[in-house]
Every structure is written in structure tokens, then in C-alpha cells.
Amino acid sequence: MPLSLRPPAPKPCESCPYRREAPAGIWASEEYEKLRHYDADTPNQPTRVFQCHQADIDSDAGRICAGWAGCHEGEHLLALRLAVVNGHINAATYKTVVDYESPVPLFSAGAEAAAHGQAGIDTPTEEARRMISKISRMRRDLR
């Protein structure tokens, strides 16, 4: 994880797996599956902050996913708490995530977002294929 994750974008990306209007099937099944784990009780959640899929995940340009911030109650996210303790984010970024409200509709839980996304993997729409192509051009780690 980068040493200094940037706060979430003002609104979730058009391909954000948490975004209700994002087409299904953009991401691999295992990427959608990760969303479900953040719905668990705090001690049972993943310890890694969920980052925006628009950037290379392990680059220094990492940003906290706006959909993740908007879908989950930040003060209950184990990964967010640990990121402060470990110095991956500062107190201001923590507060930004906790206070974040999405200007676009999001799924109410990671499991709901995952179910939507996984349902379209085998039959992505033209819009989903367009977004897959766009993301593949933007991210060096997917080339």
C-alpha cells in the first residue's frame, strides 16, 4: 500500500463497482468478491483500504475508493482505522472518508454491489465492454 493514500474523489468513478449505475461485469469476479468482506463486523473485515480501480493499485497515486467510502460507515472500517495507525493516511483523510457522502446513488452494501457486478461477467453489455477497454488503456498494470 502506498505510504500516503489520497482521499476519495468528489464522486465515485463511472466504473466504480459500488455505483448503482455502473454496468455489470466490468471487473473480474474476485474483484467484486472483495466488496462483500467489508460488510463483515469490524474485527472480521480486510485490513487493506479499498482503493480506486481507476489508478494502478500499487502505484504512488493511490486513492481511496469513493464508492467504498460512501457505501460503508467509515468509523466501522477496520482498514481505515489501521491506515491511520500505520501512517498510510493522516487524520484529515480519515475524517474525509468518515464524513463522505456520495453525490450519486450507491449500493447499500458490498454484497449487493458484488452480486450486481458478478451477474454481468459472462455477458457484459456494450457499455461494460467500452469501460473495460478504457480502463485497460489507462492502467499500466493491466497492459
Side-chain angles (χ1 to χ4, degrees), residues 34-111:
K34 291 177 185 178
L35 309 181
R36 298 176 195 277
H37 301 289
Y38 291 101
D39 292 344
D41 291 336
T42 303
N44 300 320
Q45 292 175 6
T47 58
R48 187 173 174 133
V49 170
F50 196 80
Q51 295 182 49
C52 178
H53 281 83
Q54 291 293 330
D56 296 349
I57 296 300
D58 293 318
S59 76
D60 290 335
R63 174 185 290 276
I64 295 170
C65 173
W68 181 74
C71 177
H72 301 285
E73 294 182 35
E75 63 273 2
H76 298 293
L77 288 168
L78 177 62
L80 195 62
R81 294 177 187 182
L82 292 174
V84 173
V85 171
N86 294 329
H88 296 296
I89 64 171
N90 60 29
T93 298
Y94 174 87
K95 182 162 177 30
T96 299
V97 174
V98 169
D99 295 343
Y100 185 84
E101 291 186 32
S102 176
V104 298
L106 301 175
F107 289 104
S108 61

Side-chain angles (χ1 to χ4, degrees), residues 53-59 135-136 138-143:
H53 281 83
Q54 291 293 330
D56 296 349
I57 296 300
D58 293 318
S59 76
I135 293 162
S136 295
M138 290 174 37
R139 284 188 41 187
R140 293 172 299 194
D141 63 323
L142 296 177
R143 293 182 199 150

